[in-house]
């Protein structure tokens, strides 16, 4: 007689799947035959990444690509619902009429989207957003629709909005609460998020109640959606698609029908070992409610699955589900959003440190203990790069550094890359509950040499991916400590260095990021590789940075062809080659500054900066300047900024060469040249060096016999004197060597590597550069010169091209849905007779508390 038992798993979603995998791994199949019954037509897939279905298709989302579990003792029945559980007979009935006996049943039925009883909800083209089939139906409907609306501005609502937007239809988001993502972020974070989303062309309606969906319910086909009506509003929002994303409800009907206890607000009641009120039935994932609370994220579900397997493998197991970290980090419509720990400062005496840069779209808040010594939680919008380090700081309770503000300030404003020494028990991957100690041990024991190996061996970073940067750092530290070389890949999407990427792009002639990542990387790119690729493409092809294929890769400055300043306004810097300018042009600059009320300043690079321009004013300002013969000074990009000069032999009694003419020639030659970091040059008319040329990436100093060329200096945060590369050059030689030098740097330097640090990274240092640039020992000279010639020939002024292009101009508005309305958050004071950012617009406000409470009635179901 067989002693084997039967276990039925109801539901093959993310958590049910995890349960089966853990059951196989931990030997539960030695005693149990497992039957998994799933209602969806396909095996478990990554629902968290559902939106990428449009990009990658169903196959790439599958968690079970072979369609069967490795262990023959597990059988999978798909496309079949379980319709009833008979607890007395210990059987489950399937929709196909089959009845299966069980010794243990595990409910993993997940949750269903909540559709409020709004009139019109049964019309055709009203959808929810939960399964691949839902997305397929939405895609089909979008083929004949112009506009769609998502009801619900929570996490899932924004995902759904992203999907509609990707499908190319006009997209609206409707949220009853006064802000987006009310459960995860506070008012200021929600406002920042809203701005971001609007800048992408979506319309956001907060604080509005949907009264009904409009459509002809008497039509033969059941009627289609034609609009949406809000309460207390006469107008109808014309949309043909409605997607509900108004929260989720646990799928506990099977449990209710067979008399299991359920929580007051829904969800199957379970004890800490995941047993329901009937010990032969367990419940895990979104359908379960441990302690009466439902968890709407995958990480707690995974923990429940592990605990349930433990309980079944070993009856004496003390494993227990003790609540979960509800921290989340997401990228919604390209915007980073993270919320962790006590994000709403509900702990008594909690203090808040806030950094906000409204127009750059960055909002970061740290909640710290009353004593200021511990991190309790936080919210990050627009830049969540610190999340991987901050969240473990909360769970480990480690002491905050002396200047906690450095954890959220951008590097340019004193922020430090955060690398605190976390204790070993700090949880790094909260999705899989994996500690720093366990990751480090695995790296040592398994001999992991790259990220995929660490991911495979620990599972860290395999769900939401937010901890990947910190896992990567830990790996780097371990490998370095063991004397092993560390992967030099530019980021987790490319194993190639920037130099290798440059070569790959050059060889294949790629012009689109998507082609490059498909051929030589993985995933969809990030804030590290996208601008790096944009810069490489610009160096090689010199297209317009706002072209359709590259616009979305740019960072804020390049995206607006201007430098964003601390109160969210922009500075405009016309090129003034060699610092030489006519009176007429000076007058134009003065008039523009006066007419637009701008602050003016002569810069250290011999330019006139015009500060305080609002985004919607930029095109008008450019038009005036372009009409007067000015062009973009590229003060915003990682590109050539200026070539400073003294007055040289024309005016100075010591001058031995015409330094002004040379500076103008060089600046015009290299204008618009995109590079790994910003580039500056200088030309002095004699050894007195009034242009400070040796503080620049390339410096030229006149001699009696010609020109001396110095390279790899800089006047930035780590000043370095440029070093002599070649002496007494003719003008022609100088340009040839400079062409080669700059192109070789652009080709081989790392991302954001200045020439001075690049020099330090080159084996053989300056001598090696001299061999390549002057002696041409690699035979690269002609190629480098030809590349530069291509750049020079293809140069065009980005400002001029922008004002002539309606499409590109359309991004220069304050609010997408109210283009004529200036941003009321921007205001100015005056000082020394000119404007300056008003005090209350200061981006850094530290130490003060902003009175934001926890959202009332916040519940998972309102995600
Ligand atoms: C678009 C989207 C984005 C998300 N993003 C995130 C995120 O960024 N981070 C995060 O943590 N979470 C996210 N989630 C939530 C996450 O997907 C869920 O927490 C997780 O999938 C729950 O797993 P589960 O197995 O409990 O439920 P599910 O994955 O929903 O699986 C339940 C399965 O059971 C099946 N089923 C139900 N009843 C029966 C029955 N009677 N018979 C047979 N089968 C049945 C269902 O059809 C389903 O296949 C997201 C969800 C969505 C929809
Ligand atoms: S040195 Fe440059 S970065 Fe620093 S404050 Fe001045 S302008 Fe800004
Ligand atoms: S560097 Fe020489 S030429 Fe130029 S201004 Fe100074 S002294 Fe005159």
């Amino acid at each position: 007689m067989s002693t084997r038992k039967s276990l039925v798993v109801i539901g093959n979603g993310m958590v049910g799947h995890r349960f089966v995998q853990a059951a196989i791994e931990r030997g539960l199949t030695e005693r149990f035959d497992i039957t998994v019954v799933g209602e969806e037509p396909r095996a478990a897939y990554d629902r968290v990444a559902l939106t990428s279905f449009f990009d990658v298709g169903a196959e790439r989302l599958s968690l079970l690509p072979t369609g069967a579990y490795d262990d023959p003792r597990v059988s999978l029945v798909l496309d079949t619902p379980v319709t009833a559980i008979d607890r007395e007979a210990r059987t489950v009935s399937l929709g196909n009429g089959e009845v299966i006996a069980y010794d243990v049943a595990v409910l993993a039925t997940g949750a269903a989207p909540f559709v409020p009883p709004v009139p019109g909800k049964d019309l055709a083209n009203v959808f929810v957003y939960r399964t691949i089939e839902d997305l397929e139906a939405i895609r089909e409907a979008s083929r004949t629709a112009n506009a769609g609306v998502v009801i619900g501005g929570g996490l899932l609502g924004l995902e759904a909005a992203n999907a509609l937007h990707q499908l190319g239809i006009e997209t609206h988001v409707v949220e009853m609460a006064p802000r987006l993502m009310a459960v995860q972020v506070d008012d200021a974070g929600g406002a920042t998020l809203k701005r971001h989303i609007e800048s992408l062309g979506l319309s956001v309606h907060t604080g509005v109640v949907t009264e009904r969906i409009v459509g002809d319910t008497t039509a033969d086909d059941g009627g289609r959606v034609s609009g949406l009506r809000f309460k207390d509003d006469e107008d109808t929002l014309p949309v043909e698609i409605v997607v509900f994303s108004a929260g989720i409800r646990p799928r506990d009907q099977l449990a209710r029908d067979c008399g299991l206890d359920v929580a007051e607000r829904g969800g199957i009641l379970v004890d800490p070992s995941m047993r329901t009120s009937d010990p032969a039935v367990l419940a895990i994932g979104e359908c379960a409610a441990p302690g009466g609370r439902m968890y709407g994220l995958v990480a707690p579900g995974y923990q429940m699955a592990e605990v349930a397997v433990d309980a079944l493998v070993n009856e004496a197991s003390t494993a227990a589900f003790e609540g979960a970290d509800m921290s989340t980090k997401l990228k919604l419509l390209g915007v980073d959003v993270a919320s962790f720990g006590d994000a709403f400062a509900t702990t008594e005496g909690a203090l808040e440190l806030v950094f906000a840069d409204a127009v750059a779209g960055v909002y970061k808040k740290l909640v710290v203990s009353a004593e200021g010594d511990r991190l309790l939680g936080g919210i990050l919008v627009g830049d969540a790069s610190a999340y991987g380090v901050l969240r473990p700081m909360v769970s480990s309770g480690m002491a905050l550094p002396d200047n906690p503000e450095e954890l959220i300030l951008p590097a340019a404003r004193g922020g430090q890359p955060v690398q605190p020494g976390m204790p070993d028990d700090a949880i790094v991957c909260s999705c899989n509950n994996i500690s720093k100690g366990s990751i480090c041990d695995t790296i040592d024991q398994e001999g992991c040499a790259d990220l995929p190996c660490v991911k495979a061996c620990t599972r860290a970073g395999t769900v939401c991916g937010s901890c990947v940067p910190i896992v990567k750092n830990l790996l780097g530290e371990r490998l370095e400590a063991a004397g092993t070389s560390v992967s030099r890949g530019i980021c987790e999407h490319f194993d190639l260095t920037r130099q290798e990427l440059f070569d790959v792009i050059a060889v294949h002639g790629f012009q689109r990021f998507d082609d490059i990542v498909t051929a030589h990387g993985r995933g969809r790119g990030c804030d590290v590789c996208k601008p790096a690729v944009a810069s490489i493409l610009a160096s090689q092809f010199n297209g317009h940075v706002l072209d359709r294929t590259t616009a979305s890769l740019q960072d804020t400055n390049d995206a607006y062809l201007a430098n964003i300043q601390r109160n969210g306004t922009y500075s405009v810097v016309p090129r003034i080659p060699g610092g030489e300018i006519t009176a007429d042009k000076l007058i134009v600059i003065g008039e523009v500054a006066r007419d637009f009320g701008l602050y003016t300043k002569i810069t250290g690079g011999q330019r006139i900066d015009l500060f305080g321009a609002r985004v919607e004013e930029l095109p008008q300002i450019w038009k005036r300047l372009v009409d007067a013969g000015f062009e973009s000074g590229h003060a915003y990009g990682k590109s050539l900024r200026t070539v400073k000069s003294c007055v040289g032999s024309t005016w100075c009694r010591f001058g031995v060469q015409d330094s002004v003419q040379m500076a103008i020639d060089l600046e015009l030659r290299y204008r618009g040249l995109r590079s790994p970091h910003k580039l500056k040059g200088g030309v002095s008319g004699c050894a007195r060096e009034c242009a400070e040329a040796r503080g620049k990436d390339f410096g030229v100093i006149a001699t009696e016999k010609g020109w001396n060329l110095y390279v790899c200096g800089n006047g930035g945060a780590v000043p370095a004197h440029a070093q002599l590369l070649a002496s007494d050059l003719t003008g022609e030689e100088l340009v040839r060597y400079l062409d080669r030098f700059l192109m070789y740097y652009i080709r081989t330097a790392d991302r954001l590597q200045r020439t001075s640090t690049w020099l330090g990274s080159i084996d053989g240092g300056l001598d090696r550069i001299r061999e390549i640039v002057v002696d041409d020992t690699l035979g690269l000279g002609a190629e480098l010169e030809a590349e530069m010639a291509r750049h020079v020939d293809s140069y065009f002024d980005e400002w001029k091209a922008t004002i002539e292009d309606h499409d590109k101009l359309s991004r220069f508005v304050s609010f997408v849905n109210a283009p004529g309305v200036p941003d009321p958050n921007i205001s100015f004071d005056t000082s020394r007779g000119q404007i300056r950012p008003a005090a209350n617009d200061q981006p850094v406000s530290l130490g003060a508390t902003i009175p934001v409470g926890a959202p009332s009635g916040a519940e998972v179901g309102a995600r």
Side-chain angles (χ1 to χ4, degrees):
M1 200 180 80
S2 167
T3 53
R4 292 185 63 73
K5 293 186 172 179
S6 160
L7 188 151
V8 178
V9 181
I10 308 171
N12 188 223
M14 296 186 77
V15 175
H17 172 72
R18 179 60 169 264
F19 172 88
V20 178
Q21 272 191 323
I24 297 171
E25 280 164 23
R26 280 193 249 148
L28 195 63
T29 44
E30 299 302 321
R31 289 191 290 124
F32 283 91
D33 288 322
I34 299 181
T35 308
V36 188
V37 188
E39 171 201 61
E40 291 188 64
R42 61 191 85 238
Y45 53 88
D46 186 352
R47 206 178 301 284
V48 170
L50 188 64
T51 306
S52 60
F53 164 71
F54 292 132
D55 290 338
V56 302
E59 221 166 282
R60 288 267 291 275
L61 291 184
S62 178
L63 299 175
L64 195 63
T66 59
Y69 286 96
D70 284 344
D71 191 324
R73 294 163 294 192
V74 180
S75 52
L76 181 59
V77 182
L78 293 174
D79 214 1
T80 310
V82 169
T83 50
I85 302 174
D86 183 337
R87 291 202 288 122
E88 221 150 273
R90 293 212 175 165
T91 57
V92 295
S93 304
L94 274 49
N96 60 9
E98 219 180 308
V99 176
I100 306 175
Y102 69 79
D103 295 290
V104 175
V106 177
L107 281 152
T109 47
F114 170 63
V115 177
V118 179
K121 72 179 174 51
D122 296 320
L123 286 164
N125 278 9
V126 176
F127 302 100
V128 293
Y129 197 81
R130 178 86 194 176
T131 65
I132 288 184
E133 283 65 38
D134 292 333
L135 265 66
E136 278 173 339
I138 292 170
R139 179 165 62 186
E140 191 48 39
S142 73
R143 296 191 207 283
T144 52
N146 296 313
V149 61
V150 175
I151 301 183
L155 187 157
L156 290 189
L158 296 183
E159 285 254 4
N162 187 15
L164 287 186
H165 184 60
Q166 277 181 29
L167 290 169
I169 61 174
E170 183 189 313
T171 303
H172 298 263
V173 180
V174 169
E175 169 57 52
M176 205 160 65
R179 64 170 181 269
L180 294 173
M181 283 187 70
V183 178
Q184 286 87 6
V185 305
D186 58 17
D187 285 344
T192 308
L193 189 59
K194 183 171 181 231
R195 251 191 103 82
H196 257 302
I197 291 173
E198 286 174 336
S199 75
L200 294 170
L202 288 83
S203 304
V204 179
H205 313 257
T206 44
V208 290
V209 177
T210 304
E211 196 172 63
R212 71 192 161 91
I213 302 167
V214 186
D216 177 10
T217 42
T218 59
D220 289 347
D221 59 357
R224 282 182 183 278
V225 172
S226 59
L228 194 74
R229 288 293 292 266
F230 300 124
K231 201 163 166 231
D232 304 325
D233 192 345
E234 299 280 278
D235 297 330
T236 301
L237 185 68
V239 290
E240 297 111 315
I241 292 179
V242 174
V243 181
F244 274 107
S245 181
I248 52 168
R249 295 289 179 268
R251 294 188 66 176
D252 55 13
Q253 197 56 46
L254 273 179
R256 286 175 192 266
D257 292 347
C258 70
L260 292 173
D261 290 348
V262 291
E264 203 179 316
R265 299 169 77 176
I268 307 161
L269 270 176
V270 288
D271 68 12
S273 64
M274 312 318 297
R275 290 190 196 274
T276 65
S277 48
D278 174 350
V281 183
L282 285 75
I284 53 177
E286 283 188 346
C287 65
R293 180 179 177 187
M294 179 210 173
Y295 293 83
L297 295 174
V298 73
Y302 279 180
Q303 285 173 39
M304 293 182 210
E306 301 283 345
V307 168
V309 172
D310 277 347
L312 293 171
V313 168
N314 171 12
E315 296 219 338
S317 162
T318 52
F321 177 80
E322 289 161 344
D325 179 2
M326 295 299 281
S327 303
T328 30
K329 177 182 174 232
L330 308 144
K331 202 168 196 84
L332 294 167
L333 292 141
V335 184
D336 275 348
V337 182
S339 164
F340 54 97
D342 181 10
F344 292 94
T346 52
T347 310
E348 205 181 330
L351 301 168
E352 297 182 357
L353 307 185
V354 173
F355 168 84
D357 191 342
V359 175
V362 177
Y363 172 78
K364 303 187 198 179
K365 180 174 86 173
L366 294 184
V367 178
V368 302
S369 60
E371 298 72 31
D373 58 352
R374 279 185 37 242
L375 184 62
L376 301 176
I379 293 171
L380 307 168
V381 178
D383 170 12
S385 49
Y387 173 78
V389 172
L390 294 175
R391 190 189 40 72
M393 287 180 80
V394 175
S395 57
S396 65
M398 66 185 282
L400 272 174
D402 286 346
N403 303 315
E405 67 275 14
E406 289 179 0
L407 300 173
I408 48 172
L409 285 177
R413 292 177 187 158
Q416 301 293 329
V418 194
Q419 290 288 3
M422 282 185 293
D424 278 357
D425 59 359
I427 297 298
V428 170
C429 172
S430 64
C431 292
N432 290 302
N433 204 25
I434 301 169
S435 66
K436 170 187 167 186
S438 131
I439 293 173
C440 292
D441 289 348
T442 308
I443 294 171
D444 296 346
Q445 283 157 21
E446 303 292 328
C448 292
D450 56 22
L451 190 61
C453 176
V454 186
K455 282 180 162 181
C457 295
T458 62
R459 285 213 185 106
T462 54
V463 182
C464 78
S466 65
C467 63
V468 165
I470 196 157
V471 175
K472 210 172 161 190
N473 283 352
L474 291 175
L475 174 67
E477 275 173 21
R478 283 330 262 192
L479 292 181
E480 254 164 40
T484 317
S485 67
V486 182
S487 158
R488 287 158 58 236
I490 191 162
C491 69
E492 69 149 328
H493 302 105
F494 289 98
D495 295 329
L496 308 176
T497 60
R498 182 186 175 281
Q499 175 177 358
E500 288 162 344
L501 255 180
F502 191 102
D503 291 342
V504 158
I505 293 171
V507 169
H508 294 279
F510 290 123
Q511 303 221 6
R512 297 177 58 239
F513 179 84
D514 288 353
D515 297 338
I516 301 164
V517 80
T518 306
H520 293 279
R522 64 189 81 85
R524 302 165 73 188
C526 65
D527 303 344
V528 173
C529 58
K530 282 184 170 175
V533 167
S535 161
I536 293 173
L537 288 173
S539 320
Q540 294 187 8
F541 302 108
N542 205 18
H544 197 296
V545 290
L546 300 184
D547 280 345
R548 256 172 216 285
T549 49
T550 46
S552 64
L553 307 177
Q554 310 297 344
D555 58 25
T556 315
N557 287 348
D558 271 311
Y560 290 98
L561 306 176
N563 242 325
I564 189 161
Q565 300 298 345
R566 59 188 302 155
N567 67 341
T569 57
Y570 291 83
S571 60
V572 173
V573 188
R575 183 179 303 291
I576 303 177
E580 188 178 83
I581 184 164
T582 62
D584 282 345
K585 281 189 157 181
L586 267 178
I587 288 167
V588 171
I589 291 185
E591 285 174 347
V592 168
R594 184 196 57 209
D595 295 352
F596 289 88
L598 306 175
Y599 165 94
T600 53
K601 181 173 190 310
I602 313 283
T603 73
Q606 293 179 330
R607 307 269 181 90
I608 301 174
D609 255 1
L610 306 168
F611 283 80
R614 293 165 186 269
V615 67
E616 69 275 17
E617 290 174 335
L618 289 172
Q620 304 161 47
I621 294 174
W622 295 346
K623 172 127 188 41
R624 293 267 297 269
L625 292 170
V626 167
D627 287 349
F630 286 104
E631 60 179 37
S632 167
H634 285 100
Y636 44 84
K638 298 285 177 256
S639 52
L640 180 86
R641 297 288 170 94
T642 56
V643 181
K644 189 176 178 182
S645 78
C646 66
V647 289
S649 57
T650 326
W651 290 89
C652 176
R653 58 211 164 91
F654 302 110
V656 290
Q657 306 283 351
D658 186 353
S659 57
V660 180
Q661 184 64 57
M662 180 55 82
I664 293 172
D665 290 349
L666 295 181
E667 178 154 348
L668 294 182
R669 183 167 184 78
Y670 303 127
R671 64 190 160 170
L673 181 65
R674 291 303 208 280
S675 43
H677 210 297
K678 60 187 172 189
L679 280 174
K680 291 182 186 170
V683 185
S684 283
C686 79
R688 287 172 186 78
E689 249 285 65
C690 294
E692 295 155 342
R694 289 192 62 199
K696 307 281 187 259
D697 297 281
F698 60 91
V700 179
I701 299 178
T703 68
E704 299 283 352
K705 298 186 201 145
W707 305 97
N708 283 355
L709 172 58
Y710 295 80
V711 292
C712 301
N714 107 56
V718 188
H721 257 144
Q723 299 178 42
L724 183 63
L725 187 75
S727 320
D728 299 329
L729 305 171
T730 63
E732 209 180 300
E733 285 169 332
L734 175 74
V735 167
R736 182 170 349 121
Y737 293 163
L738 257 178
D739 281 1
R740 293 179 183 178
F741 166 77
L742 289 173
M743 265 305 163
Y744 189 60
Y745 161 65
I746 288 171
R747 208 187 242 203
T748 60
D750 215 340
R751 156 183 177 272
L752 297 183
Q753 192 174 38
R754 283 177 179 271
T755 50
S756 52
T757 30
W758 170 69
L759 174 64
S761 72
I762 289 187
D763 255 0
L766 187 71
D767 288 342
R768 180 69 183 147
I769 294 182
R770 189 176 295 111
E771 280 171 21
I772 294 165
V773 168
V774 179
D775 307 333
D776 198 13
T777 50
L778 293 184
L780 275 178
E783 193 180 321
L784 297 170
E785 286 166 42
E787 272 176 43
M788 187 61 83
R790 263 199 305 279
H791 162 76
V792 175
D793 290 345
S794 60
Y795 172 78
F796 61 93
D797 178 34
E798 280 164 356
W799 281 4
K800 188 161 181 293
T802 302
I803 14 186
E804 287 163 359
D805 183 332
H806 178 76
D807 234 28
K808 295 192 172 80
L809 273 184
S810 62
R811 60 195 303 136
F812 294 91
V813 288
S814 50
F815 299 105
V816 173
N817 53 352
V821 180
D823 183 348
N825 294 319
I826 296 177
S827 52
F828 300 96
D829 289 336
T830 50
S831 160
R832 298 188 291 271
Q834 297 207 74
I835 58 161
R836 48 159 293 152
N840 61 5
D841 279 334
Q842 298 286 326
V844 189
S845 75
L846 289 164
T849 21
I850 294 182
V852 275
S856 55
E859 53 165 317
V860 173
R863 288 183 303 155

